[in-house]
Amino acid sequence: MRNSARRWASQPKAKVAILGSSTSKDWLPRHWLGQQIGRPPADILDAHINGCHQGCTWASVQRLRQRQHRFDMVFMGTNLFQLCEYPHSKRVLQQQMQTPATAIPALFGIYASAEQPLLYMGRFLGMTLSGAYGDPLAVQSAAAREVFGPGKRGQAWRWSRPRPLSADDTPRCTYSPSAVALKRAFTEALLDDLLDISDHVYLMLLPERAMADPKDAQLQAALTAHRALHAALAEARPGVTLIDLIEGGALERNQYRDSIHLNARGVPVQQRLFAQRLKALGFKGNAP
């Protein structure tokens, strides 16, 4: 969050933005994107936030709307796994920290689409009133280090720092209507609001390591639903162009450093595909 704010402050006149989480930005350096779209790196704002799902991105856009900042174009990526709720205090904290007071009613309207709306509303209000309720695990871990020291591994430390995801853990989304209702509502509102502050939005569908198994029937069904949903959202909005970076993209397990982030093998694959997609859209950049 702080890193993102610093990047915004350093480029107040940027006309192109990259939004989303680390999966949207790690393989998309500003200088490379600038070559593809004919813009200098200084004109491109890295507005991503690590771990930022649709709700976090929506909240960050509300701040840009409040500042009346306008872009020529915005690039935003989304992963299949991100469409499920994955309720976590840090997601609400991201929204609570960024959402202007005037946008809170709209946020609570979106929360109404969740499987447990009161969970999100309660966390938001608790954080706002107490300044402490629902602190994310990262903050709890920092507090534990202060109390027990960096080398301690007592019960309190384990409480504050549960087992992290390993390289073999893969987040999944069943894509049932109830599981994706909240993120769908966030995505719809996000696209509408982005069109309010930019001339065009490029919505990128991103691959993840689980897609390396074409025999996973449940995953393939979810992927079909994922593509259909975003195609429909883009079709309903003339200013939104869907860029599918899954088919032909990084779909080998050895192209990932964990379940969702590309490694040195995967990045060139994804960049080549993206350059091809941009050229087909009329951009005059030089493909790598």
Side-chain angles (χ1 to χ4, degrees), residues 14 27 34 42 51-53 55 65 71 102 109-110 118 126 174 186 190 220 223-224 241 253 281:
W27 60 278
C52 194
H53 289 196
R65 293 180 71 200
F71 296 97
T102 54
I110 296 173
L118 294 181
T174 62
F186 267 126
L190 175 58
Q220 294 306 315
L223 179 56
T224 298
T241 296
R253 291 183 64 85
L281 291 172

Side-chain angles (χ1 to χ4, degrees), residues 225-248:
H226 183 62
R227 281 176 159 147
L229 170 60
H230 288 83
L233 295 178
E235 184 177 0
R237 294 163 176 82
V240 176
T241 296
L242 185 67
I243 303 179
D244 192 329
L245 298 175
I246 298 174
E247 188 70 31

Side-chain angles (χ1 to χ4, degrees), residues 21 28 34 50 67 81 103 106 110 177 184 190-191 197 212 214 236 242 249 268 284 286:
S21 68
L28 197 57
N50 287 342
R67 298 170 186 172
F81 83 90
I110 296 173
R184 173 174 183 158
L190 175 58
L191 292 176
I197 64 170
L242 185 67
K284 304 297 183 181
N286 297 317

